[in-house]
Amino acid sequence: MNLKKLIALALALCTCALLLCSCNKGNEDIPEGMQLVSSDYINCKFFVPSDWTPEITTGVLVAKASDNSNVSIQKMTPSGSYSSADAYFREDYFKKLQSTYAKVTLLEEECSTENQKFGTVGNGAVKYVYTVESDGSVYKIMQYFSVYSGYLYILTYTAQEELFSEHLEEVGSIVSNFVY
């Protein structure tokens, strides 16, 4: 009887050790200094700085810095028939922005429709930077549009214009560590 109890105890301890070891493996995939923001509604891995506050809503993942600068990712099926992400932005999306805000300024010199890479797989993307005026404040917005497996992924970084450059390195890390 004592041998059976000893074997049962040894098996229980081995099982516990295996469970503890397997729990850590999920964290190995999280880049240092970042946290995973995820949702049942969007199948992706969205890593943001660990000191940012995640907010999850249906269809959009958002994280905010302490100064209220924020980044979000949205996955959608593009409407209409556009030849590229650039065509979608210029023929549809930007027109909607212009009808929403009284003042929208596209900063063409900061936009790029070539050689933009998005996510860990380096998928092609287009990047747009613009300002909008809302409630007396000017916000600077940078967006990446990337088409992957039939879906359009839109990453949006928004900050007050004077704070915009403070988080560009973090946003670059968010972009490069994104997993479709």
Side-chain angles (χ1 to χ4, degrees):
M1 291 269 185
N2 286 340
L3 182 61
K4 288 182 182 180
K5 288 182 182 179
L6 185 61
I7 291 173
L9 178 63
L11 285 172
L13 290 174
C14 288
T15 302
C16 287
L18 286 172
L19 286 173
L20 289 173
C21 290
S22 66
C23 289
N24 289 336
K25 289 188 178 183
N27 292 337
E28 291 174 7
D29 294 339
I30 298 176
E32 188 175 335
M34 300 187 96
Q35 63 180 315
L36 174 64
V37 179
S38 62
S39 164
D40 291 338
Y41 302 105
I42 299 178
N43 186 20
C44 66
K45 290 186 180 179
F46 184 52
F47 298 106
V48 299
S50 57
D51 60 341
W52 288 35
T53 304
E55 294 180 7
I56 302 167
T57 62
T58 304
V60 181
L61 301 176
V62 180
K64 290 184 176 183
S66 60
D67 62 8
N68 282 330
S69 298
N70 63 78
V71 66
S72 66
I73 190 77
Q74 179 179 9
K75 176 183 173 182
M76 60 182 274
T77 304
S79 60
S81 58
Y82 298 97
S83 59
S84 66
D86 182 55
Y88 172 74
F89 178 82
R90 294 184 186 273
E91 295 169 19
D92 185 46
Y93 194 90
F94 193 68
K95 289 178 181 179
K96 289 176 183 172
L97 287 172
Q98 290 173 315
S99 69
T100 303
Y101 297 98
K103 187 173 181 184
V104 180
T105 305
L106 185 62
L107 305 172
E108 290 281 358
E109 66 280 359
E110 296 183 48
C111 299
S112 178
T113 58
E114 297 178 13
N115 302 317
Q116 291 296 310
K117 301 296 179 192
F118 193 82
T120 57
V121 295
N123 193 51
V126 291
K127 178 180 83 171
Y128 302 97
V129 181
Y130 54 91
T131 60
V132 298
E133 191 171 319
S134 179
D135 296 327
S137 295
V138 177
Y139 296 92
K140 192 168 181 179
I141 300 169
M142 177 171 60
Q143 291 187 299
Y144 286 85
F145 291 74
S146 181
V147 177
Y148 187 82
S149 293
Y151 292 99
L152 176 63
Y153 291 80
I154 304 172
L155 182 133
T156 304
Y157 166 55
T158 306
Q160 289 187 343
E161 190 171 32
E162 62 273 8
L163 298 173
F164 184 80
S165 63
E166 292 184 27
H167 298 290
L168 286 177
E169 188 174 319
E170 292 166 308
V171 173
S173 185
I174 292 168
V175 168
S176 63
N177 284 296
F178 181 81
V179 179
Y180 291 97

